[in-house]
Amino acid sequence: MEDNGRKKMAIIASQGTLDWAYPPFVLASTAAAMNMEVWMFFTFYGLSLLKKKIEAKVAPATNPAMPMKMPFGPKGFQAINWPIPNIIAGNLPGFETVATSLMKKTFEKNGIATIEELRDACLEADVTMVGCTMTMGIFGLEKDDLIEETVFGGAAMFLEYAVGADIQLFI
Amino acid sequence: MSENQIDQELDCRGLKCPLPILRTKKAIDRMVTGQVLKMVATDPGAINDMKAWTSRTGNALVDSSQGDGEFIFYVRKK
């Protein structure tokens, strides 16, 4: 791999929920804005973040400590952390959709970027996005399902980059 | 920093990390060497983020101030 003198970051994005989609895209877009060269390797559930249309949802059942906030009403009401018992979060039909919509509204009201916005910022800054071909096999995804910027590869391709990177993160 | 030394202004009020940095980077990219960008943010994280971003990218943070919940940064493009 040729060295262009820039600092390098390598990220493995392995989770596909809305909340877990933020860390890799926030860090990758910021690193690119700081002149770093960035590779993101999307594997397992993370691969869904390369779909043309991102359908990431919050998964309350796997986040037992997740507080929920209401995006409307008086300030004091909005500040309340609503503890949601797992029995409800995990079993009530449609709860995931409600939680996702509440989180998206709360984020929007607070000036937080959407995942789409962050992914676009990464693409504009030439962040390399590698889709794990092994995962595509598992989930039955075709090249056409993913954004056209996707580079296809596997573990060896990622490691060959990561071995020379200054920052390596698994998310 | 006096207002007539500013070449461009960027309003990042209400935006949270990392948007002020991403927008600042975009604005600086469109400017020429030596020009000064004034950026206004309300996210308190922007203070240390702007220090880190300018030090990493080599653009100069020539001045900054704060008041009324707003943080103002003046960046000279490298």
Side-chain angles (χ1 to χ4, degrees), chain A residues 7-31:
Chain A
K7 294 283 182 191
K8 295 180 178 63
M9 179 159 83
I11 297 181
I12 296 177
S14 70
Q15 302 290 324
T17 54
L18 181 66
D19 42 345
W20 279 95
Y22 272 90
F25 283 126
V26 166
L27 291 168
S29 58
T30 305

Side-chain angles (χ1 to χ4, degrees), chain A residues 42-63:
Chain A
F42 296 84
T43 187
F44 279 83
Y45 308 120
L47 185 65
S48 64
L49 301 177
L50 283 183
K51 281 189 186 171
K52 285 176 179 154
K53 187 173 168 3
I54 299 174
E55 286 154 349
K57 285 187 172 177
V58 188
T62 57
N63 293 294

Side-chain angles (χ1 to χ4, degrees), chain A residues 126-139:
Chain A
D126 291 327
V127 168
T128 301
M129 302 202 182
V130 184
C132 168
T133 48
M134 179 264 261
T135 307
M136 290 171 67
I138 299 174
F139 294 134

Side-chain angles (χ1 to χ4, degrees), chain A residues 104-144:
Chain A
K104 281 188 173 172
K105 286 211 178 82
T106 304
F107 279 9
E108 191 189 329
K109 280 196 62 166
N110 283 291
I112 291 165
T114 63
I115 289 298
E116 289 80 1
E117 206 173 347
L118 293 173
R119 187 174 76 176
D120 286 347
C122 290
L123 291 171
E124 253 176 64
D126 291 327
V127 168
T128 301
M129 302 202 182
V130 184
C132 168
T133 48
M134 179 264 261
T135 307
M136 290 171 67
I138 299 174
F139 294 134
L141 285 164
E142 303 291 335
K143 288 189 175 181
D144 258 4

Side-chain angles (χ1 to χ4, degrees), chain A residues 7 25-26 29-30 32-36 109-114 117-118 121 124-125, chain B residues 14-23 25-26 49 52-54 56-59 78:
Chain A
K7 294 283 182 191
F25 283 126
V26 166
S29 58
T30 305
M34 294 173 88
N35 261 343
M36 299 182 206
K109 280 196 62 166
N110 283 291
I112 291 165
T114 63
E117 206 173 347
L118 293 173
E124 253 176 64
Chain B
L15 301 178
K16 296 275 162 56
C17 164
L19 288 176
I21 292 294
L22 300 186
R23 303 263 162 101
K25 147 90 174 154
K26 254 190 161 170
D49 277 358
W53 181 79
T54 47
R56 169 66 35 203
T57 57
N59 296 294
K78 181 184 159 189

Side-chain angles (χ1 to χ4, degrees), chain A residues 15 24 29 60 65 69 72 78 81 114 121 124-125 148 156:
Chain A
Q15 302 290 324
S29 58
K69 301 230 187 222
F72 44 74
Q78 288 191 36
N81 284 329
T114 63
E124 253 176 64
E148 59 185 42

